[in-house]
Amino acid sequence: MDVLLQALLNGILIGGILICLTVGFQLTFGVLHVIDFAVGGWVMLGGYAAYWASRLLGVDPFISVFFVFVLFAGVGCALGPLIYHVRTSRYARPDLMALAFTFGIFIMMRGGALWLWSFDSRSVDSVLSGASLSIGPVTVPLLRLSAFGMALLLGLGLFVLLYRTRFGMAVRAVAQNRDHAGLMGVDVKRVSAYVYGIYTGITASAGVLLATIYSVNPEVGVRYTLFAFFVAVLAGLGSVGGVLVAGLVLGLVESLVGTYVGTRYSLLVVFATLYLVLLISPKGILQRGI
Amino acid sequence: MVSKLSRPQLASLLALFAGMVVLAVLPAYIDPYSLRIVTGVLMWAGLACAWNIVGGYAGYISFGHSAFFGIGAYVTGILMQRDLGIPFLATLPLGILVAVGVAAAIGGPTMRLRGAYFAIATWAFAEMLMQMAIVLDITGGTAGLSLPAYLNEFFFYYTMLIVALGVYLGTWYLLERTRFGYRLKALRDHEPAAEAMGIHTTRVKVQAFALSAGITSLFGSIYAYWVTFIDPRSVMGPEITDQMVVMVLLGGLGTVWGPALGATVLWLINRYIWSELGDTAIYLPILGLIIALIVLFLPNGLISLLPGGRRGHGLLGRLLRKL
């Protein structure tokens, strides 16, 4: 029973970060209509940024996460127009070309990390590492709890931005209909670039949090791209609300399989579930996708 | 027939024959190391061609072709173990059979998915298969599998040459000359319209996918016997799919000879980096950069740079159309 409670708690805490990892991805799909293969790459680079910040400058990851957000949002804003250009080009299949483009960027990130920093796993230490809180039979690692809180904060910020500001209204208008939003005076290209920037910022921040909990190496990108796909497909592509449910489901699946079946099977189970969901209900379990 | 050919066409026909003669006698004149490189070029050209059937002609981007390469490699690898001892050539059709069966089984449901979902589904499938190869016992897990060594570079060169040539001529005929090819291109260009014309789109897509999977598996089998040692990463890793995608994009998506061109260029770059720098890690970022640059600046691939080379209407394409 205690083991089950602990596994459930761990699943929920990780699920919160996975939600944070996927909301930006969903937003990008809704606005730019691009499946970004590089999502795991941003997570990985965010983790490395936190590692180097703590290693070279001695900055705690819970402080550097804000700087990472700003840094990667800047990078994303610069890259966004290129993706927008490919997606709206006159190529025969702009959607597939955009997919191939982000695929190329992802390979570049993974290869670059391998080349510069080799295969070694690097862990990022925080003042909170190792400390934990005991509530009855379960122990709550403070690190995971604060990372969960930080992820909630980031996600909440995004929702406020989307539903309480003029910029958010423009974003939602573009997501609903690009042409009509353009006719209403929304600068679609600029909004798309900003959305891509917000997405890379949030995703890299999630990467910082994940790097403090696990560790970071060049291969984690593939795993997190898969997780983002899993959550997005389960939620229905483009549905931001469905992510809340799907992220928790993935967190719980991974934690329960890891506890009861063995961690080496967890990826296999995740892949198989993703594949089955795609076959049975391609619009997501909530039937909200597009 | 020959009288219809104009002078430049005759010249390129001669060039084609000359090229074949050169390929046929090449092993006698170059050192073993170069021979291995040329064998690699032939293999990758064939693999790129296989990917192009689905990616270029059907318009469905597959990120999971490494699965079929791995299936071929593992079928050959497992059947050739000492206790079974099945001869190499007998394992080839079995590998193809397994790959085609798997492709037909998963193709039916996944090919109904739209572009992006299909890409994700194939990718998830390939990763799942690689994880399976890691945890199963029969595949040797991460420790890998050793095959009986047959150290005859000439044998592998000529096998690759014959298979690659067969694959190219076969796909060229099938995709540019038969109703199957027209159906495939029709559904790529506009699927609902193709369906309205009475084309059973799902069946055609699954046939194309199975054909592509079978060819990929065949090369996987030969590769396993050639390198004599396989493990999950080396025959099912994402790098294999990555390279196939890049080669086709580089050469020219949906063209007959583009994949061969892309494969030749990329594999030579790969080997050059390997031998000059002794470090393949830098190869991956270069691969990624090539994809990004091609998508941005040269969406029709290198073949569009050749005179009249857009969409396979180049010199060779025009020539073969005349035959």
PDB file of all heavy atoms in Angstrom, chain B residues 192-218:
ATOM      1  N   PRO B 192      -8.194  12.872 -51.302  1.00  0.00           N
ATOM      2  CA  PRO B 192      -9.649  12.754 -51.495  1.00  0.00           C
ATOM      3  C   PRO B 192     -10.015  12.623 -52.966  1.00  0.00           C
ATOM      4  O   PRO B 192     -10.901  11.841 -53.326  1.00  0.00           O
ATOM      5  CB  PRO B 192     -10.181  14.068 -50.914  1.00  0.00           C
ATOM      6  CG  PRO B 192      -9.145  14.538 -49.980  1.00  0.00           C
ATOM      7  CD  PRO B 192      -7.842  14.087 -50.554  1.00  0.00           C
ATOM      8  N   ALA B 193      -9.334  13.380 -53.835  1.00  0.00           N
ATOM      9  CA  ALA B 193      -9.641  13.311 -55.264  1.00  0.00           C
ATOM     10  C   ALA B 193      -9.318  11.920 -55.795  1.00  0.00           C
ATOM     11  O   ALA B 193     -10.086  11.345 -56.576  1.00  0.00           O
ATOM     12  CB  ALA B 193      -8.844  14.363 -56.030  1.00  0.00           C
ATOM     13  N   ALA B 194      -8.174  11.366 -55.355  1.00  0.00           N
ATOM     14  CA  ALA B 194      -7.794  10.024 -55.803  1.00  0.00           C
ATOM     15  C   ALA B 194      -8.836   9.005 -55.365  1.00  0.00           C
ATOM     16  O   ALA B 194      -9.220   8.110 -56.124  1.00  0.00           O
ATOM     17  CB  ALA B 194      -6.428   9.659 -55.238  1.00  0.00           C
ATOM     18  N   GLU B 195      -9.335   9.192 -54.149  1.00  0.00           N
ATOM     19  CA  GLU B 195     -10.336   8.268 -53.648  1.00  0.00           C
ATOM     20  C   GLU B 195     -11.627   8.406 -54.458  1.00  0.00           C
ATOM     21  O   GLU B 195     -12.286   7.414 -54.774  1.00  0.00           O
ATOM     22  CB  GLU B 195     -10.587   8.574 -52.176  1.00  0.00           C
ATOM     23  CG  GLU B 195     -10.909   7.338 -51.367  1.00  0.00           C
ATOM     24  CD  GLU B 195     -10.806   7.604 -49.880  1.00  0.00           C
ATOM     25  OE1 GLU B 195      -9.977   8.444 -49.480  1.00  0.00           O
ATOM     26  OE2 GLU B 195     -11.565   6.974 -49.136  1.00  0.00           O
ATOM     27  N   ALA B 196     -11.972   9.647 -54.800  1.00  0.00           N
ATOM     28  CA  ALA B 196     -13.181   9.879 -55.587  1.00  0.00           C
ATOM     29  C   ALA B 196     -13.069   9.249 -56.970  1.00  0.00           C
ATOM     30  O   ALA B 196     -14.077   8.887 -57.587  1.00  0.00           O
ATOM     31  CB  ALA B 196     -13.442  11.381 -55.708  1.00  0.00           C
ATOM     32  N   MET B 197     -11.826   9.115 -57.464  1.00  0.00           N
ATOM     33  CA  MET B 197     -11.622   8.493 -58.779  1.00  0.00           C
ATOM     34  C   MET B 197     -11.728   6.972 -58.697  1.00  0.00           C
ATOM     35  O   MET B 197     -11.549   6.280 -59.694  1.00  0.00           O
ATOM     36  CB  MET B 197     -10.239   8.836 -59.331  1.00  0.00           C
ATOM     37  CG  MET B 197     -10.037  10.285 -59.687  1.00  0.00           C
ATOM     38  SD  MET B 197     -11.153  10.832 -60.970  1.00  0.00           S
ATOM     39  CE  MET B 197     -10.465   9.982 -62.393  1.00  0.00           C
ATOM     40  N   GLY B 198     -11.982   6.462 -57.514  1.00  0.00           N
ATOM     41  CA  GLY B 198     -12.165   5.025 -57.382  1.00  0.00           C
ATOM     42  C   GLY B 198     -10.916   4.271 -56.988  1.00  0.00           C
ATOM     43  O   GLY B 198     -10.865   3.047 -57.073  1.00  0.00           O
ATOM     44  N   ILE B 199      -9.874   4.995 -56.559  1.00  0.00           N
ATOM     45  CA  ILE B 199      -8.660   4.315 -56.112  1.00  0.00           C
ATOM     46  C   ILE B 199      -8.847   3.876 -54.663  1.00  0.00           C
ATOM     47  O   ILE B 199      -9.267   4.680 -53.828  1.00  0.00           O
ATOM     48  CB  ILE B 199      -7.437   5.250 -56.223  1.00  0.00           C
ATOM     49  CG1 ILE B 199      -7.216   5.622 -57.682  1.00  0.00           C
ATOM     50  CG2 ILE B 199      -6.200   4.595 -55.648  1.00  0.00           C
ATOM     51  CD1 ILE B 199      -6.145   6.658 -57.888  1.00  0.00           C
ATOM     52  N   HIS B 200      -8.555   2.624 -54.383  1.00  0.00           N
ATOM     53  CA  HIS B 200      -8.624   2.137 -53.012  1.00  0.00           C
ATOM     54  C   HIS B 200      -7.365   2.624 -52.308  1.00  0.00           C
ATOM     55  O   HIS B 200      -6.358   1.923 -52.254  1.00  0.00           O
ATOM     56  CB  HIS B 200      -8.703   0.606 -53.024  1.00  0.00           C
ATOM     57  CG  HIS B 200      -9.078   0.012 -51.708  1.00  0.00           C
ATOM     58  ND1 HIS B 200      -8.617   0.501 -50.517  1.00  0.00           N
ATOM     59  CD2 HIS B 200      -9.887  -1.020 -51.395  1.00  0.00           C
ATOM     60  CE1 HIS B 200      -9.116  -0.210 -49.532  1.00  0.00           C
ATOM     61  NE2 HIS B 200      -9.902  -1.145 -50.049  1.00  0.00           N
ATOM     62  N   THR B 201      -7.418   3.848 -51.761  1.00  0.00           N
ATOM     63  CA  THR B 201      -6.184   4.506 -51.322  1.00  0.00           C
ATOM     64  C   THR B 201      -5.477   3.732 -50.215  1.00  0.00           C
ATOM     65  O   THR B 201      -4.262   3.597 -50.253  1.00  0.00           O
ATOM     66  CB  THR B 201      -6.450   5.942 -50.838  1.00  0.00           C
ATOM     67  OG1 THR B 201      -7.532   5.908 -49.913  1.00  0.00           O
ATOM     68  CG2 THR B 201      -6.780   6.850 -51.972  1.00  0.00           C
ATOM     69  N   THR B 202      -6.238   3.235 -49.237  1.00  0.00           N
ATOM     70  CA  THR B 202      -5.568   2.532 -48.137  1.00  0.00           C
ATOM     71  C   THR B 202      -4.815   1.321 -48.662  1.00  0.00           C
ATOM     72  O   THR B 202      -3.672   1.064 -48.270  1.00  0.00           O
ATOM     73  CB  THR B 202      -6.585   2.101 -47.067  1.00  0.00           C
ATOM     74  OG1 THR B 202      -7.331   3.238 -46.668  1.00  0.00           O
ATOM     75  CG2 THR B 202      -5.888   1.514 -45.868  1.00  0.00           C
ATOM     76  N   ARG B 203      -5.430   0.572 -49.586  1.00  0.00           N
ATOM     77  CA  ARG B 203      -4.759  -0.619 -50.094  1.00  0.00           C
ATOM     78  C   ARG B 203      -3.468  -0.246 -50.834  1.00  0.00           C
ATOM     79  O   ARG B 203      -2.422  -0.855 -50.631  1.00  0.00           O
ATOM     80  CB  ARG B 203      -5.695  -1.405 -51.011  1.00  0.00           C
ATOM     81  CG  ARG B 203      -5.109  -2.756 -51.364  1.00  0.00           C
ATOM     82  CD  ARG B 203      -6.151  -3.679 -51.925  1.00  0.00           C
ATOM     83  NE  ARG B 203      -6.648  -3.212 -53.204  1.00  0.00           N
ATOM     84  CZ  ARG B 203      -7.833  -3.581 -53.714  1.00  0.00           C
ATOM     85  NH1 ARG B 203      -8.622  -4.372 -53.045  1.00  0.00           N
ATOM     86  NH2 ARG B 203      -8.216  -3.134 -54.882  1.00  0.00           N
ATOM     87  N   VAL B 204      -3.562   0.782 -51.672  1.00  0.00           N
ATOM     88  CA  VAL B 204      -2.372   1.191 -52.422  1.00  0.00           C
ATOM     89  C   VAL B 204      -1.259   1.641 -51.476  1.00  0.00           C
ATOM     90  O   VAL B 204      -0.097   1.277 -51.645  1.00  0.00           O
ATOM     91  CB  VAL B 204      -2.727   2.320 -53.415  1.00  0.00           C
ATOM     92  CG1 VAL B 204      -1.485   2.843 -54.098  1.00  0.00           C
ATOM     93  CG2 VAL B 204      -3.724   1.819 -54.435  1.00  0.00           C
ATOM     94  N   LYS B 205      -1.656   2.407 -50.436  1.00  0.00           N
ATOM     95  CA  LYS B 205      -0.649   2.889 -49.484  1.00  0.00           C
ATOM     96  C   LYS B 205       0.014   1.729 -48.760  1.00  0.00           C
ATOM     97  O   LYS B 205       1.231   1.699 -48.585  1.00  0.00           O
ATOM     98  CB  LYS B 205      -1.314   3.825 -48.461  1.00  0.00           C
ATOM     99  CG  LYS B 205      -1.557   5.208 -48.984  1.00  0.00           C
ATOM    100  CD  LYS B 205      -2.065   6.113 -47.884  1.00  0.00           C
ATOM    101  CE  LYS B 205      -3.502   5.823 -47.549  1.00  0.00           C
ATOM    102  NZ  LYS B 205      -4.084   6.779 -46.595  1.00  0.00           N
ATOM    103  N   VAL B 206      -0.807   0.764 -48.338  1.00  0.00           N
ATOM    104  CA  VAL B 206      -0.242  -0.371 -47.609  1.00  0.00           C
ATOM    105  C   VAL B 206       0.671  -1.188 -48.517  1.00  0.00           C
ATOM    106  O   VAL B 206       1.741  -1.643 -48.099  1.00  0.00           O
ATOM    107  CB  VAL B 206      -1.358  -1.255 -47.008  1.00  0.00           C
ATOM    108  CG1 VAL B 206      -0.780  -2.521 -46.418  1.00  0.00           C
ATOM    109  CG2 VAL B 206      -2.117  -0.487 -45.945  1.00  0.00           C
ATOM    110  N   GLN B 207       0.282  -1.352 -49.793  1.00  0.00           N
ATOM    111  CA  GLN B 207       1.144  -2.072 -50.729  1.00  0.00           C
ATOM    112  C   GLN B 207       2.493  -1.361 -50.853  1.00  0.00           C
ATOM    113  O   GLN B 207       3.551  -1.995 -50.814  1.00  0.00           O
ATOM    114  CB  GLN B 207       0.478  -2.151 -52.105  1.00  0.00           C
ATOM    115  CG  GLN B 207      -0.620  -3.196 -52.170  1.00  0.00           C
ATOM    116  CD  GLN B 207      -1.475  -3.063 -53.416  1.00  0.00           C
ATOM    117  OE1 GLN B 207      -1.400  -2.058 -54.129  1.00  0.00           O
ATOM    118  NE2 GLN B 207      -2.284  -4.066 -53.672  1.00  0.00           N
ATOM    119  N   ALA B 208       2.441  -0.028 -50.984  1.00  0.00           N
ATOM    120  CA  ALA B 208       3.691   0.732 -51.119  1.00  0.00           C
ATOM    121  C   ALA B 208       4.541   0.578 -49.859  1.00  0.00           C
ATOM    122  O   ALA B 208       5.759   0.389 -49.937  1.00  0.00           O
ATOM    123  CB  ALA B 208       3.380   2.205 -51.373  1.00  0.00           C
ATOM    124  N   PHE B 209       3.886   0.640 -48.705  1.00  0.00           N
ATOM    125  CA  PHE B 209       4.596   0.539 -47.436  1.00  0.00           C
ATOM    126  C   PHE B 209       5.249  -0.838 -47.312  1.00  0.00           C
ATOM    127  O   PHE B 209       6.415  -0.954 -46.918  1.00  0.00           O
ATOM    128  CB  PHE B 209       3.602   0.779 -46.297  1.00  0.00           C
ATOM    129  CG  PHE B 209       4.235   0.988 -44.952  1.00  0.00           C
ATOM    130  CD1 PHE B 209       5.272   1.887 -44.780  1.00  0.00           C
ATOM    131  CD2 PHE B 209       3.768   0.306 -43.838  1.00  0.00           C
ATOM    132  CE1 PHE B 209       5.837   2.088 -43.546  1.00  0.00           C
ATOM    133  CE2 PHE B 209       4.326   0.501 -42.599  1.00  0.00           C
ATOM    134  CZ  PHE B 209       5.363   1.388 -42.451  1.00  0.00           C
ATOM    135  N   ALA B 210       4.510  -1.883 -47.674  1.00  0.00           N
ATOM    136  CA  ALA B 210       5.038  -3.242 -47.572  1.00  0.00           C
ATOM    137  C   ALA B 210       6.202  -3.441 -48.536  1.00  0.00           C
ATOM    138  O   ALA B 210       7.214  -4.054 -48.190  1.00  0.00           O
ATOM    139  CB  ALA B 210       3.930  -4.250 -47.859  1.00  0.00           C
ATOM    140  N   LEU B 211       6.069  -2.911 -49.751  1.00  0.00           N
ATOM    141  CA  LEU B 211       7.154  -3.005 -50.734  1.00  0.00           C
ATOM    142  C   LEU B 211       8.418  -2.352 -50.184  1.00  0.00           C
ATOM    143  O   LEU B 211       9.510  -2.928 -50.199  1.00  0.00           O
ATOM    144  CB  LEU B 211       6.718  -2.311 -52.028  1.00  0.00           C
ATOM    145  CG  LEU B 211       7.764  -2.197 -53.126  1.00  0.00           C
ATOM    146  CD1 LEU B 211       8.071  -3.568 -53.697  1.00  0.00           C
ATOM    147  CD2 LEU B 211       7.294  -1.260 -54.228  1.00  0.00           C
ATOM    148  N   SER B 212       8.222  -1.146 -49.655  1.00  0.00           N
ATOM    149  CA  SER B 212       9.342  -0.398 -49.099  1.00  0.00           C
ATOM    150  C   SER B 212       9.979  -1.154 -47.923  1.00  0.00           C
ATOM    151  O   SER B 212      11.210  -1.253 -47.817  1.00  0.00           O
ATOM    152  CB  SER B 212       8.820   0.965 -48.649  1.00  0.00           C
ATOM    153  OG  SER B 212       9.785   1.667 -47.967  1.00  0.00           O
ATOM    154  N   ALA B 213       9.132  -1.721 -47.070  1.00  0.00           N
ATOM    155  CA  ALA B 213       9.631  -2.466 -45.908  1.00  0.00           C
ATOM    156  C   ALA B 213      10.416  -3.694 -46.342  1.00  0.00           C
ATOM    157  O   ALA B 213      11.476  -4.012 -45.790  1.00  0.00           O
ATOM    158  CB  ALA B 213       8.462  -2.881 -45.013  1.00  0.00           C
ATOM    159  N   GLY B 214       9.911  -4.404 -47.362  1.00  0.00           N
ATOM    160  CA  GLY B 214      10.587  -5.601 -47.842  1.00  0.00           C
ATOM    161  C   GLY B 214      11.986  -5.295 -48.358  1.00  0.00           C
ATOM    162  O   GLY B 214      12.956  -5.993 -48.033  1.00  0.00           O
ATOM    163  N   ILE B 215      12.098  -4.220 -49.139  1.00  0.00           N
ATOM    164  CA  ILE B 215      13.410  -3.847 -49.681  1.00  0.00           C
ATOM    165  C   ILE B 215      14.362  -3.481 -48.538  1.00  0.00           C
ATOM    166  O   ILE B 215      15.512  -3.908 -48.501  1.00  0.00           O
ATOM    167  CB  ILE B 215      13.272  -2.662 -50.656  1.00  0.00           C
ATOM    168  CG1 ILE B 215      12.416  -3.060 -51.848  1.00  0.00           C
ATOM    169  CG2 ILE B 215      14.639  -2.187 -51.113  1.00  0.00           C
ATOM    170  CD1 ILE B 215      12.060  -1.912 -52.757  1.00  0.00           C
ATOM    171  N   THR B 216      13.839  -2.677 -47.584  1.00  0.00           N
ATOM    172  CA  THR B 216      14.675  -2.267 -46.452  1.00  0.00           C
ATOM    173  C   THR B 216      15.174  -3.480 -45.688  1.00  0.00           C
ATOM    174  O   THR B 216      16.343  -3.558 -45.299  1.00  0.00           O
ATOM    175  CB  THR B 216      13.860  -1.355 -45.517  1.00  0.00           C
ATOM    176  OG1 THR B 216      13.227  -0.357 -46.298  1.00  0.00           O
ATOM    177  CG2 THR B 216      14.747  -0.703 -44.484  1.00  0.00           C
ATOM    178  N   SER B 217      14.292  -4.453 -45.481  1.00  0.00           N
ATOM    179  CA  SER B 217      14.663  -5.661 -44.748  1.00  0.00           C
ATOM    180  C   SER B 217      15.734  -6.456 -45.488  1.00  0.00           C
ATOM    181  O   SER B 217      16.662  -6.994 -44.885  1.00  0.00           O
ATOM    182  CB  SER B 217      13.410  -6.511 -44.545  1.00  0.00           C
ATOM    183  OG  SER B 217      13.756  -7.838 -44.309  1.00  0.00           O
ATOM    184  N   LEU B 218      15.603  -6.517 -46.820  1.00  0.00           N
ATOM    185  CA  LEU B 218      16.592  -7.247 -47.629  1.00  0.00           C
ATOM    186  C   LEU B 218      17.988  -6.673 -47.403  1.00  0.00           C
ATOM    187  O   LEU B 218      18.956  -7.409 -47.186  1.00  0.00           O
ATOM    188  CB  LEU B 218      16.192  -7.153 -49.107  1.00  0.00           C
ATOM    189  CG  LEU B 218      17.082  -7.828 -50.128  1.00  0.00           C
ATOM    190  CD1 LEU B 218      17.208  -9.300 -49.826  1.00  0.00           C
ATOM    191  CD2 LEU B 218      16.515  -7.633 -51.523  1.00  0.00           C
TER     192      LEU B 218
END
